[in-house]
Amino acid sequence: MQILWVLMALAMFSVVLLPVFRRRRSGIQLVTPGDPDAADPANYGFLRQEELDIRMPGPDADLLNVLDVVQRTQDYRAASQLLAGTETEGETRWQRVQAFAGAAALELQQHPGGVSETPGGQWLRVWRAEAPKDAGGAAVHAEFLVQQAWRTSTPGSDDFRIIMEEARSACGDAALLSPGDPIPYIIELSVARGLGYSQPEFEKLWLKILDRSPSHMGAHLAALHYWCEKWHGSRETAYAFAEAAAARAPQGSLLAAMPLFAVFEHLPEVNLVRSFYQSEVVTKAVHGALYAVHAARPDDPMLAHVRHLLICFLVRGERWSEAMDQLVRVDGHVGALPWTLSPDPASDYAIYRALAVAGYEANGGSPATLSH
């Protein structure tokens, strides 16, 4: 099985391995695509790789419809109306703010503008100019600046700091327009990480979020980055933060899955050892996340985020049936960790999906035995 992970890692950024795994009880072997004995994810109703939506972790028809209108017409008003009608404290509004900001940033990247070309994302500039008191537009603008800093500049550089300082100012403007809204402060968590807020300064910001939305999963994930070893904390601090969040999670909250995200943030650069994914620390975090998804509301906007990360760990731990159980619930959308860390999220997801199908069938599973 070790050699399989090596082959998968080599193929991750170059070829599509779907469907190329032979299903045998003695193990999983690479075969030529089209081999009659190859495991085929299409047999389970999974979408083809090119049909996977990389923009979001799960479906949000209202958001997709509005994004289509905004990008087709370059008129921001549909976005403004959607955010105005979305609950302030909830996870959905945060995801929609991120999506609008990301769409504007991607447009600008694809069409930077020039002498005869209007820069991409012009609708966001018009939004801020025509509706400066619109809290939704202010939040999207602040998040847009944060994403621009991470996309276009190197952390620690003068350019990065200049954009992040502008983002910090934009967060303050957005907070003034919507005093009870946690989102401007959640956006500032990324600014705090990038600019290296001191721990007392960061904790002061964190308390503002807890006062407004103490169980906000998106906020906890953003804060976790700050406490990670690669930024301004340590493995122990990040684990303690995640475990504390899980311990105080109310019934049905996905905060119980936080330790799994902490483990993920501290994975070695290359770890293809199966035993690691079956170790006590990983097993405990996976069980916590499985408990969280089973107890969560079916319409929880963060549910797909947890399911996607579970797929990664369950496949690595060769827990094929449980991985398939998650796959049938998220297939179609792949805009979540760990796939979004890759230049080709759909390809990475498809590789793990093919592995899950092959492993499931190698142990006697079939489309007929998989519950939906």
Short mmCIF file of all heavy atoms in Angstrom, two decimals, residues 156-209:
data_model
loop_
_atom_site.label_atom_id
_atom_site.label_comp_id
_atom_site.label_asym_id
_atom_site.label_seq_id
_atom_site.Cartn_x
_atom_site.Cartn_y
_atom_site.Cartn_z
N GLY A 156 5.17 39.58 4.48
CA GLY A 156 6.37 40.23 4.99
C GLY A 156 6.91 41.29 4.06
O GLY A 156 7.71 42.15 4.48
N SER A 157 6.47 41.29 2.80
CA SER A 157 6.95 42.29 1.84
C SER A 157 6.22 43.62 2.07
O SER A 157 5.17 43.68 2.70
CB SER A 157 6.73 41.82 0.41
OG SER A 157 5.33 41.77 0.11
N ASP A 158 6.79 44.68 1.52
CA ASP A 158 6.15 46.00 1.65
C ASP A 158 4.78 46.01 0.98
O ASP A 158 3.83 46.58 1.53
CB ASP A 158 7.05 47.08 1.03
CG ASP A 158 8.30 47.34 1.85
OD1 ASP A 158 8.32 46.96 3.04
OD2 ASP A 158 9.26 47.92 1.31
N ASP A 159 4.68 45.41 -0.21
CA ASP A 159 3.40 45.37 -0.90
C ASP A 159 2.33 44.66 -0.07
O ASP A 159 1.19 45.12 0.03
CB ASP A 159 3.54 44.67 -2.26
CG ASP A 159 4.27 45.51 -3.29
OD1 ASP A 159 4.44 46.73 -3.03
OD2 ASP A 159 4.67 44.96 -4.32
N PHE A 160 2.72 43.55 0.51
CA PHE A 160 1.79 42.77 1.33
C PHE A 160 1.31 43.60 2.51
O PHE A 160 0.10 43.67 2.79
CB PHE A 160 2.49 41.50 1.83
CG PHE A 160 1.63 40.60 2.67
CD1 PHE A 160 0.77 39.68 2.08
CD2 PHE A 160 1.68 40.65 4.06
CE1 PHE A 160 -0.03 38.84 2.84
CE2 PHE A 160 0.90 39.81 4.84
CZ PHE A 160 0.04 38.91 4.23
N ARG A 161 2.23 44.24 3.20
CA ARG A 161 1.87 45.04 4.37
C ARG A 161 0.97 46.22 3.99
O ARG A 161 0.01 46.53 4.70
CB ARG A 161 3.13 45.53 5.09
CG ARG A 161 2.85 46.39 6.31
CD ARG A 161 4.10 46.58 7.14
NE ARG A 161 4.48 45.33 7.79
CZ ARG A 161 3.96 44.91 8.93
NH1 ARG A 161 3.02 45.62 9.55
NH2 ARG A 161 4.35 43.78 9.47
N ILE A 162 1.24 46.85 2.88
CA ILE A 162 0.43 47.99 2.45
C ILE A 162 -1.02 47.57 2.19
O ILE A 162 -1.97 48.21 2.64
CB ILE A 162 1.04 48.63 1.18
CG1 ILE A 162 2.33 49.38 1.54
CG2 ILE A 162 0.04 49.60 0.53
CD1 ILE A 162 3.12 49.83 0.33
N ILE A 163 -1.18 46.43 1.48
CA ILE A 163 -2.55 45.95 1.19
C ILE A 163 -3.24 45.51 2.47
O ILE A 163 -4.43 45.79 2.68
CB ILE A 163 -2.51 44.79 0.17
CG1 ILE A 163 -1.87 45.25 -1.14
CG2 ILE A 163 -3.94 44.29 -0.11
CD1 ILE A 163 -1.66 44.11 -2.14
N MET A 164 -2.52 44.84 3.37
CA MET A 164 -3.11 44.39 4.61
C MET A 164 -3.50 45.56 5.52
O MET A 164 -4.53 45.51 6.20
CB MET A 164 -2.15 43.45 5.35
CG MET A 164 -2.20 42.02 4.87
SD MET A 164 -3.84 41.26 5.15
CE MET A 164 -3.47 39.55 4.75
N GLU A 165 -2.71 46.61 5.52
CA GLU A 165 -3.08 47.79 6.30
C GLU A 165 -4.35 48.43 5.75
O GLU A 165 -5.21 48.89 6.50
CB GLU A 165 -1.94 48.81 6.30
CG GLU A 165 -0.71 48.39 7.10
CD GLU A 165 -0.93 48.42 8.61
OE1 GLU A 165 -2.05 48.77 9.05
OE2 GLU A 165 0.02 48.09 9.35
N GLU A 166 -4.47 48.43 4.43
CA GLU A 166 -5.69 48.93 3.81
C GLU A 166 -6.88 48.04 4.17
O GLU A 166 -7.98 48.53 4.43
CB GLU A 166 -5.52 48.99 2.29
CG GLU A 166 -6.69 49.64 1.57
CD GLU A 166 -6.50 49.71 0.06
OE1 GLU A 166 -5.40 49.34 -0.43
OE2 GLU A 166 -7.46 50.12 -0.63
N ALA A 167 -6.64 46.73 4.20
CA ALA A 167 -7.69 45.79 4.58
C ALA A 167 -8.12 46.01 6.03
O ALA A 167 -9.31 45.94 6.36
CB ALA A 167 -7.21 44.36 4.38
N ARG A 168 -7.15 46.27 6.91
CA ARG A 168 -7.49 46.52 8.32
C ARG A 168 -8.39 47.75 8.43
O ARG A 168 -9.37 47.73 9.18
CB ARG A 168 -6.22 46.71 9.15
CG ARG A 168 -6.54 47.13 10.58
CD ARG A 168 -5.46 46.77 11.58
NE ARG A 168 -4.17 47.36 11.30
CZ ARG A 168 -3.12 47.19 12.12
NH1 ARG A 168 -3.23 46.47 13.23
NH2 ARG A 168 -1.95 47.73 11.82
N SER A 169 -8.08 48.79 7.69
CA SER A 169 -8.91 50.00 7.69
C SER A 169 -10.30 49.69 7.15
O SER A 169 -11.31 50.17 7.69
CB SER A 169 -8.23 51.08 6.86
OG SER A 169 -9.04 52.24 6.79
N ALA A 170 -10.36 48.87 6.10
CA ALA A 170 -11.66 48.50 5.51
C ALA A 170 -12.49 47.67 6.48
O ALA A 170 -13.72 47.80 6.53
CB ALA A 170 -11.43 47.73 4.21
N CYS A 171 -11.84 46.82 7.28
CA CYS A 171 -12.55 46.04 8.30
C CYS A 171 -13.18 46.99 9.32
O CYS A 171 -14.33 46.79 9.76
CB CYS A 171 -11.60 45.09 9.00
SG CYS A 171 -11.07 43.67 8.01
N GLY A 172 -12.44 48.02 9.72
CA GLY A 172 -12.97 48.99 10.67
C GLY A 172 -14.18 49.73 10.10
O GLY A 172 -15.18 49.94 10.80
N ASP A 173 -14.11 50.08 8.82
CA ASP A 173 -15.25 50.75 8.18
C ASP A 173 -16.47 49.84 8.15
O ASP A 173 -17.59 50.28 8.42
CB ASP A 173 -14.88 51.15 6.75
CG ASP A 173 -13.80 52.23 6.70
OD1 ASP A 173 -13.60 52.92 7.73
OD2 ASP A 173 -13.17 52.37 5.65
N ALA A 174 -16.24 48.57 7.82
CA ALA A 174 -17.36 47.62 7.75
C ALA A 174 -17.98 47.39 9.12
O ALA A 174 -19.20 47.27 9.26
CB ALA A 174 -16.86 46.29 7.17
N ALA A 175 -17.15 47.35 10.16
CA ALA A 175 -17.66 47.15 11.53
C ALA A 175 -18.52 48.32 11.97
O ALA A 175 -19.54 48.12 12.65
CB ALA A 175 -16.49 46.95 12.48
N LEU A 176 -18.16 49.52 11.60
CA LEU A 176 -18.95 50.70 11.97
C LEU A 176 -20.32 50.69 11.31
O LEU A 176 -21.30 51.18 11.87
CB LEU A 176 -18.20 51.98 11.58
CG LEU A 176 -16.95 52.31 12.41
CD1 LEU A 176 -16.23 53.52 11.82
CD2 LEU A 176 -17.33 52.58 13.87
N LEU A 177 -20.40 50.11 10.11
CA LEU A 177 -21.66 50.07 9.38
C LEU A 177 -22.62 49.00 9.90
O LEU A 177 -23.81 49.06 9.64
CB LEU A 177 -21.40 49.83 7.89
CG LEU A 177 -20.72 50.97 7.14
CD1 LEU A 177 -20.32 50.53 5.74
CD2 LEU A 177 -21.65 52.19 7.07
N SER A 178 -22.09 48.02 10.64
CA SER A 178 -22.93 46.92 11.15
C SER A 178 -22.38 46.47 12.50
O SER A 178 -21.68 45.47 12.61
CB SER A 178 -22.91 45.75 10.15
OG SER A 178 -23.79 44.72 10.55
N PRO A 179 -22.71 47.21 13.57
CA PRO A 179 -22.09 47.00 14.89
C PRO A 179 -22.20 45.58 15.45
O PRO A 179 -21.30 45.11 16.13
CB PRO A 179 -22.84 48.00 15.78
CG PRO A 179 -23.30 49.06 14.82
CD PRO A 179 -23.64 48.35 13.56
N GLY A 180 -23.28 44.87 15.18
CA GLY A 180 -23.44 43.53 15.74
C GLY A 180 -22.94 42.42 14.85
O GLY A 180 -23.07 41.24 15.18
N ASP A 181 -22.34 42.79 13.73
CA ASP A 181 -21.91 41.82 12.73
C ASP A 181 -20.52 41.29 13.05
O ASP A 181 -19.56 42.06 13.17
CB ASP A 181 -21.91 42.52 11.36
CG ASP A 181 -21.68 41.56 10.20
OD1 ASP A 181 -21.32 40.41 10.45
OD2 ASP A 181 -21.85 42.00 9.04
N PRO A 182 -20.36 39.96 13.17
CA PRO A 182 -19.02 39.42 13.46
C PRO A 182 -18.10 39.38 12.24
O PRO A 182 -16.88 39.26 12.38
CB PRO A 182 -19.32 38.00 13.94
CG PRO A 182 -20.58 37.63 13.21
CD PRO A 182 -21.39 38.90 13.14
N ILE A 183 -18.65 39.51 11.04
CA ILE A 183 -17.86 39.26 9.83
C ILE A 183 -16.68 40.22 9.66
O ILE A 183 -15.57 39.78 9.33
CB ILE A 183 -18.76 39.24 8.58
CG1 ILE A 183 -19.60 37.95 8.60
CG2 ILE A 183 -17.94 39.31 7.29
CD1 ILE A 183 -20.53 37.78 7.45
N PRO A 184 -16.83 41.53 9.88
CA PRO A 184 -15.65 42.39 9.76
C PRO A 184 -14.49 41.95 10.66
O PRO A 184 -13.32 42.04 10.28
CB PRO A 184 -16.18 43.78 10.15
CG PRO A 184 -17.63 43.73 9.81
CD PRO A 184 -18.05 42.33 10.14
N TYR A 185 -14.83 41.46 11.84
CA TYR A 185 -13.79 41.00 12.77
C TYR A 185 -13.22 39.65 12.35
O TYR A 185 -12.03 39.37 12.56
CB TYR A 185 -14.36 40.94 14.18
CG TYR A 185 -14.87 42.28 14.65
CD1 TYR A 185 -16.24 42.55 14.69
CD2 TYR A 185 -13.99 43.29 15.03
CE1 TYR A 185 -16.72 43.79 15.10
CE2 TYR A 185 -14.46 44.54 15.45
CZ TYR A 185 -15.83 44.78 15.47
OH TYR A 185 -16.29 46.01 15.87
N ILE A 186 -14.06 38.80 11.73
CA ILE A 186 -13.56 37.52 11.21
C ILE A 186 -12.58 37.78 10.07
O ILE A 186 -11.53 37.13 9.97
CB ILE A 186 -14.73 36.63 10.74
CG1 ILE A 186 -15.65 36.28 11.92
CG2 ILE A 186 -14.20 35.35 10.10
CD1 ILE A 186 -16.91 35.54 11.53
N ILE A 187 -12.91 38.73 9.22
CA ILE A 187 -11.98 39.10 8.13
C ILE A 187 -10.67 39.60 8.72
O ILE A 187 -9.58 39.28 8.22
CB ILE A 187 -12.62 40.18 7.24
CG1 ILE A 187 -13.88 39.64 6.55
CG2 ILE A 187 -11.62 40.65 6.18
CD1 ILE A 187 -14.70 40.69 5.83
N GLU A 188 -10.76 40.36 9.81
CA GLU A 188 -9.55 40.92 10.41
C GLU A 188 -8.66 39.84 11.01
O GLU A 188 -7.45 40.06 11.21
CB GLU A 188 -9.91 41.96 11.47
CG GLU A 188 -8.71 42.79 11.91
CD GLU A 188 -9.04 43.86 12.93
OE1 GLU A 188 -10.24 44.12 13.17
OE2 GLU A 188 -8.09 44.41 13.52
N LEU A 189 -9.20 38.66 11.29
CA LEU A 189 -8.36 37.57 11.79
C LEU A 189 -7.25 37.23 10.79
O LEU A 189 -6.12 36.94 11.18
CB LEU A 189 -9.21 36.32 12.06
CG LEU A 189 -10.19 36.39 13.24
CD1 LEU A 189 -11.07 35.14 13.25
CD2 LEU A 189 -9.45 36.54 14.56
N SER A 190 -7.58 37.29 9.52
CA SER A 190 -6.57 37.04 8.49
C SER A 190 -5.56 38.17 8.43
O SER A 190 -4.36 37.95 8.19
CB SER A 190 -7.23 36.85 7.13
OG SER A 190 -6.31 36.42 6.16
N VAL A 191 -6.04 39.39 8.65
CA VAL A 191 -5.14 40.54 8.72
C VAL A 191 -4.18 40.37 9.90
O VAL A 191 -2.98 40.62 9.79
CB VAL A 191 -5.94 41.86 8.86
CG1 VAL A 191 -4.99 43.05 9.04
CG2 VAL A 191 -6.84 42.07 7.65
N ALA A 192 -4.73 39.94 11.03
CA ALA A 192 -3.92 39.73 12.23
C ALA A 192 -2.82 38.71 12.00
O ALA A 192 -1.68 38.87 12.46
CB ALA A 192 -4.81 39.29 13.38
N ARG A 193 -3.15 37.66 11.28
CA ARG A 193 -2.15 36.64 10.96
C ARG A 193 -1.08 37.21 10.04
O ARG A 193 0.12 37.01 10.25
CB ARG A 193 -2.83 35.43 10.32
CG ARG A 193 -1.89 34.35 9.84
CD ARG A 193 -2.65 33.06 9.59
NE ARG A 193 -3.75 33.22 8.67
CZ ARG A 193 -3.71 32.90 7.37
NH1 ARG A 193 -2.59 32.44 6.85
NH2 ARG A 193 -4.77 33.03 6.61
N GLY A 194 -1.52 37.94 9.02
CA GLY A 194 -0.58 38.47 8.05
C GLY A 194 0.33 39.55 8.60
O GLY A 194 1.51 39.62 8.26
N LEU A 195 -0.23 40.41 9.45
CA LEU A 195 0.56 41.52 10.00
C LEU A 195 1.25 41.16 11.31
O LEU A 195 2.02 41.96 11.85
CB LEU A 195 -0.34 42.74 10.22
CG LEU A 195 -0.90 43.40 8.95
CD1 LEU A 195 -1.74 44.61 9.31
CD2 LEU A 195 0.22 43.80 8.00
N GLY A 196 0.94 39.98 11.84
CA GLY A 196 1.62 39.53 13.05
C GLY A 196 1.18 40.27 14.30
O GLY A 196 2.02 40.75 15.07
N TYR A 197 -0.15 40.35 14.52
CA TYR A 197 -0.64 40.96 15.76
C TYR A 197 0.01 40.26 16.96
O TYR A 197 0.23 39.05 16.93
CB TYR A 197 -2.15 40.79 15.88
CG TYR A 197 -3.01 41.72 15.06
CD1 TYR A 197 -2.53 42.38 13.93
CD2 TYR A 197 -4.34 41.92 15.40
CE1 TYR A 197 -3.35 43.21 13.18
CE2 TYR A 197 -5.17 42.75 14.66
CZ TYR A 197 -4.67 43.39 13.54
OH TYR A 197 -5.49 44.21 12.79
N SER A 198 0.25 40.99 18.01
CA SER A 198 0.69 40.37 19.25
C SER A 198 -0.44 39.51 19.79
O SER A 198 -1.61 39.71 19.46
CB SER A 198 1.06 41.44 20.27
OG SER A 198 -0.10 42.15 20.68
N GLN A 199 -0.11 38.56 20.64
CA GLN A 199 -1.15 37.68 21.19
C GLN A 199 -2.20 38.45 21.98
O GLN A 199 -3.40 38.18 21.83
CB GLN A 199 -0.51 36.56 22.02
CG GLN A 199 0.25 35.57 21.15
CD GLN A 199 0.66 34.32 21.90
OE1 GLN A 199 0.30 34.11 23.05
NE2 GLN A 199 1.42 33.47 21.22
N PRO A 200 -1.84 39.44 22.82
CA PRO A 200 -2.88 40.22 23.50
C PRO A 200 -3.78 40.97 22.52
O PRO A 200 -5.00 41.05 22.72
CB PRO A 200 -2.08 41.19 24.37
CG PRO A 200 -0.79 40.48 24.63
CD PRO A 200 -0.50 39.76 23.36
N GLU A 201 -3.20 41.50 21.45
CA GLU A 201 -3.99 42.21 20.45
C GLU A 201 -4.92 41.25 19.72
O GLU A 201 -6.09 41.57 19.45
CB GLU A 201 -3.05 42.90 19.45
CG GLU A 201 -3.75 43.85 18.49
CD GLU A 201 -2.79 44.56 17.56
OE1 GLU A 201 -1.58 44.19 17.56
OE2 GLU A 201 -3.23 45.47 16.83
N PHE A 202 -4.42 40.05 19.40
CA PHE A 202 -5.24 39.05 18.73
C PHE A 202 -6.39 38.60 19.64
O PHE A 202 -7.53 38.46 19.19
CB PHE A 202 -4.39 37.84 18.32
CG PHE A 202 -5.16 36.80 17.55
CD1 PHE A 202 -5.27 36.90 16.18
CD2 PHE A 202 -5.77 35.74 18.20
CE1 PHE A 202 -5.99 35.94 15.45
CE2 PHE A 202 -6.48 34.78 17.49
CZ PHE A 202 -6.59 34.89 16.12
N GLU A 203 -6.10 38.36 20.90
CA GLU A 203 -7.13 37.90 21.84
C GLU A 203 -8.21 38.96 22.03
O GLU A 203 -9.39 38.63 22.21
CB GLU A 203 -6.48 37.51 23.16
CG GLU A 203 -5.66 36.23 23.05
CD GLU A 203 -4.81 35.95 24.26
OE1 GLU A 203 -4.69 36.85 25.12
OE2 GLU A 203 -4.25 34.84 24.35
N LYS A 204 -7.83 40.22 22.00
CA LYS A 204 -8.82 41.30 22.09
C LYS A 204 -9.76 41.26 20.89
O LYS A 204 -10.98 41.42 21.03
CB LYS A 204 -8.10 42.64 22.16
CG LYS A 204 -9.03 43.84 22.32
CD LYS A 204 -8.22 45.13 22.42
CE LYS A 204 -9.15 46.33 22.55
NZ LYS A 204 -8.36 47.61 22.63
N LEU A 205 -9.20 41.02 19.71
CA LEU A 205 -10.02 40.89 18.50
C LEU A 205 -10.92 39.66 18.61
O LEU A 205 -12.11 39.72 18.26
CB LEU A 205 -9.09 40.76 17.28
CG LEU A 205 -9.73 40.39 15.94
CD1 LEU A 205 -10.72 41.46 15.50
CD2 LEU A 205 -8.64 40.19 14.88
N TRP A 206 -10.38 38.56 19.10
CA TRP A 206 -11.14 37.32 19.22
C TRP A 206 -12.33 37.48 20.16
O TRP A 206 -13.41 36.95 19.90
CB TRP A 206 -10.21 36.21 19.70
CG TRP A 206 -10.85 34.86 19.82
CD1 TRP A 206 -10.94 34.09 20.94
CD2 TRP A 206 -11.51 34.11 18.79
NE1 TRP A 206 -11.59 32.92 20.68
CE2 TRP A 206 -11.96 32.90 19.36
CE3 TRP A 206 -11.76 34.36 17.44
CZ2 TRP A 206 -12.65 31.94 18.63
CZ3 TRP A 206 -12.44 33.39 16.70
CH2 TRP A 206 -12.88 32.20 17.30
N LEU A 207 -12.16 38.22 21.22
CA LEU A 207 -13.26 38.44 22.16
C LEU A 207 -14.41 39.19 21.51
O LEU A 207 -15.58 38.96 21.83
CB LEU A 207 -12.77 39.20 23.39
CG LEU A 207 -11.92 38.39 24.37
CD1 LEU A 207 -11.39 39.29 25.48
CD2 LEU A 207 -12.72 37.23 24.96
N LYS A 208 -14.11 40.08 20.59
CA LYS A 208 -15.16 40.80 19.87
C LYS A 208 -16.01 39.84 19.05
O LYS A 208 -17.23 40.01 18.94
CB LYS A 208 -14.55 41.87 18.96
CG LYS A 208 -13.88 43.02 19.70
CD LYS A 208 -13.26 44.01 18.72
CE LYS A 208 -12.58 45.15 19.47
NZ LYS A 208 -11.93 46.11 18.53
N ILE A 209 -15.37 38.82 18.50
CA ILE A 209 -16.11 37.81 17.73
C ILE A 209 -16.95 36.94 18.65
O ILE A 209 -18.12 36.66 18.38
CB ILE A 209 -15.13 36.96 16.90
CG1 ILE A 209 -14.43 37.84 15.87
CG2 ILE A 209 -15.86 35.80 16.23
CD1 ILE A 209 -13.28 37.16 15.17
#
